[in-house]
Amino acid sequence: MRIGLLTEGGYPYVGGDAGLWCDRLVRGLAQHEFDVYALSRGRQQEDAGRVPLPPQVDRVRTAPLWRAEGDGVAYGRRARRRFTEYYGELVEALSGGPGAASGAASGTGSAQQADRFGSALYGLAELARDEGGLVGALRSDTALRTLERACRAPGAPRTAREARVADLLTVTAHLERALRPSPWTGTAPTASAPPTSATPPPAAPPPCPDCSPGTCATCPCW
């Protein structure tokens, strides 16, 4: 089986959160192949290097959460209309806009909102593929106004309707970060390659006395 492991600020970085847990997971499933997709939280974490990887890790692709570079993409009129439509559907699904009210009345609110959210998300992904990026649009005044309309629409929760401009800006920034296409880069070093950090990686603790060779993956200490 080929497994994709997505980590945020963790494995395989030396200073990553839950790195030891992920390392045990990967090593304990040696019969499977892994592709690791690692989101880093800062330059310091990236500069600290990575832990040695076992041979079942085929590749590592990385993307920074701490860098927000523009993509230089300027949408034309048709692309802006598509963005407004898809982004509007997305934020209405999140804020519980008009569609949520009608769905709740018919007893299908959750499923309907999930469908709207999924369709809007796929629409934005297709737009990014067709036009070359989303970053500029997600940071635009159009995105902020679209979010404001969704929050002020009939059927939106009271907390959404009472949101101030500062709140809307914060939500827009979070959505831009969450929806920003990740520039996955890099490949995994081989298992025999030395770690890139000058600081030795943390050593895994020894197995408990109940472990025996070849059974550690099923031992309760895991």
Side-chain angles (χ1 to χ4, degrees):
M1 180 186 296
R2 194 174 190 87
I3 300 172
L5 180 62
L6 175 63
T7 65
E8 179 181 340
Y11 187 78
Y13 295 109
V14 169
D17 300 334
L20 182 58
W21 183 90
C22 290
D23 190 61
R24 283 183 165 184
L25 175 69
V26 172
R27 293 181 185 276
L29 297 174
Q31 70 274 30
H32 301 300
E33 297 177 350
F34 283 84
D35 288 347
V36 178
Y37 297 85
L39 300 169
S40 66
R41 291 181 179 170
R43 184 181 298 279
Q44 184 177 5
Q45 184 178 55
E46 291 188 2
D47 291 344
R50 307 175 188 173
V51 299
L53 298 169
Q56 60 265 33
V57 177
D58 277 356
R59 75 178 78 177
V60 174
R61 294 189 178 276
T62 63
L65 286 176
W66 48 277
R67 219 163 39 210
E69 298 176 354
D71 51 19
V73 176
Y75 285 176
R77 184 178 302 175
R78 181 176 300 179
R80 288 198 300 270
R81 282 201 302 266
R82 288 177 61 190
F83 173 78
T84 302
E85 175 187 352
Y86 295 138
Y87 192 73
E89 282 288 305
L90 185 79
V91 296
E92 280 187 13
L94 291 173
S95 66
S102 60
S106 62
T108 61
S110 297
Q112 188 180 62
Q113 290 301 89
D115 288 342
R116 292 181 72 194
F117 179 86
S119 297
L121 198 60
Y122 277 111
L124 288 172
E126 292 173 359
L127 178 62
R129 180 195 62 198
D130 295 343
E131 299 296 330
L134 276 177
V135 175
L138 290 169
R139 297 179 185 175
S140 66
D141 290 341
T142 299
L144 180 62
R145 288 195 298 268
T146 302
L147 176 63
E148 184 177 21
R149 281 197 300 271
C151 290
R152 305 287 189 263
R158 183 166 60 100
T159 52
R161 294 197 305 271
E162 294 176 352
R164 298 168 298 177
V165 173
D167 301 322
L168 296 173
L169 287 170
T170 300
V171 172
T172 301
H174 281 298
L175 285 173
E176 186 274 323
R177 175 174 166 175
L179 297 173
R180 185 191 312 156
S182 297
W184 297 109
T185 60
T187 57
T190 62
S192 59
T196 57
S197 171
T199 305
C208 71
D210 295 330
C211 287
S212 58
T215 64
C216 276
T218 59
C219 174
C221 75
W222 284 67

